[in-house]
């Protein structure tokens, strides 16, 4: 259960402002895209997300996208946002996270892995020794059957984590 427990839980990425970054001594963010930054399968960031990314960059944040998707699917998003992409990461395996940490060039305790899924983003980030931030998924209506099944398995674990945290 410990490997599935996020360090921090938030409703959406817009809660990660300069005060949040300072309070948690964050210098780098490993980003998931689908249902974390944008709705599932959205190709590019919207204006609100561009402004948030710009604020993160202005605050000195180093960013990298770590995704299980193919590069071709994420290329436009990464190019538009000006963020390096590590595609086909095979989350929750550590290899992609190790690459992300190397790219960011920061100590692990200054990096968070951000995502909406316990079994990929949180488990992978925890296995790699990073702090993890679980974001409430943006939109569950456009997810494939496999993801809906994973979400069903996550629900009792999330309830248990929530009970233990209160």
């Amino acid at each position: 259960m410990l490997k599935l427990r996020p360090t921090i839980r938030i409703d959406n990425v817009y809660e990660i402002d300069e005060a949040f970054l300072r309070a948690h001594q964050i210098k780098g963010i490993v980003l998931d895209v689908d249902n974390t930054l944008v709705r599932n399968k959205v190709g590019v960031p919207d204006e609100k997300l561009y402004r948030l990314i710009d604020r993160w960059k202005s605050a000195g944040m180093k960013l990298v996208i770590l995704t299980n998707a193919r590069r071709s699917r994420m290329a436009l998003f990464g190019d538009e946002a000006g963020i390096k992409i590590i595609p086909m990461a095979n989350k929750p395996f550590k290899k992609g996270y190790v690459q992300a940490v190397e790219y960011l060039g920061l100590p692990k305790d200054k990096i968070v892995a951000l995502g909406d899924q316990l079994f990929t983003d949180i488990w992978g980030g925890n296995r790699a020794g990073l702090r993890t931030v679980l974001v409430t998924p943006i939109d569950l209506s456009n997810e494939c059957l496999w993801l809906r099944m994973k979400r069903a398995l996550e629900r009792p674990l999330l309830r248990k984590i929530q009970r233990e945290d209160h």
Side-chain angles (χ1 to χ4, degrees):
M1 183 65 156
L2 286 177
K3 292 289 184 187
L4 294 174
R5 178 181 294 282
T7 311
I8 303 165
R9 291 180 68 179
I10 60 175
D11 287 329
N12 63 66
V13 296
Y14 298 96
E15 293 179 38
I16 303 175
D17 58 12
E18 286 186 52
F20 181 97
L21 296 168
R22 268 192 313 275
H24 296 284
Q25 300 178 344
I26 299 168
K27 300 288 183 196
I29 307 174
V30 179
L31 299 163
D32 175 57
V33 174
D34 287 329
N35 262 337
T36 299
L37 295 179
V38 295
R39 291 169 43 136
N40 199 28
K41 300 193 174 158
V42 167
V44 294
D46 62 16
E47 272 309 307
K48 185 177 178 184
L49 184 57
Y50 276 129
R51 287 191 301 273
L52 177 64
I53 290 168
D54 285 344
R55 283 194 304 274
W56 286 344
K57 288 178 178 178
S58 295
M61 283 304 104
K62 293 184 175 183
L63 308 172
V64 63
I65 293 172
L66 186 68
T67 180
N68 285 344
R70 296 178 191 275
R71 174 143 182 61
S72 58
R73 168 133 149 54
M74 286 291 137
L76 184 57
F77 190 101
D79 291 347
E80 290 289 319
I83 303 171
K84 177 183 174 50
I85 300 166
I86 299 173
M88 303 293 290
N90 293 317
K91 294 184 281 185
F93 296 106
K94 291 191 325 187
K95 182 181 178 185
Y97 288 94
V98 169
Q99 289 176 309
V101 169
E102 288 173 1
Y103 171 76
L104 294 172
L106 296 166
K108 287 182 182 182
D109 66 342
K110 300 294 183 198
I111 301 171
V112 293
L114 180 69
D116 66 297
Q117 294 185 58
L118 283 181
F119 294 136
T120 53
D121 308 311
I122 302 307
W123 190 21
N126 286 342
R127 290 177 74 208
L130 301 175
R131 291 179 293 162
T132 52
V133 178
L134 180 65
V135 178
T136 302
I138 294 171
D139 178 16
L140 301 176
S141 66
N142 194 26
E143 291 189 320
C144 65
L145 177 61
W146 170 243
L147 281 176
R148 289 194 310 261
M149 290 170 44
K150 283 198 321 185
R151 298 272 188 211
L153 294 171
E154 285 181 349
R155 272 192 292 278
L157 295 171
L158 286 168
R159 283 193 296 270
K160 181 176 172 116
I161 289 168
Q162 192 166 17
R163 277 193 311 270
E164 290 173 356
D165 288 348
H166 293 291

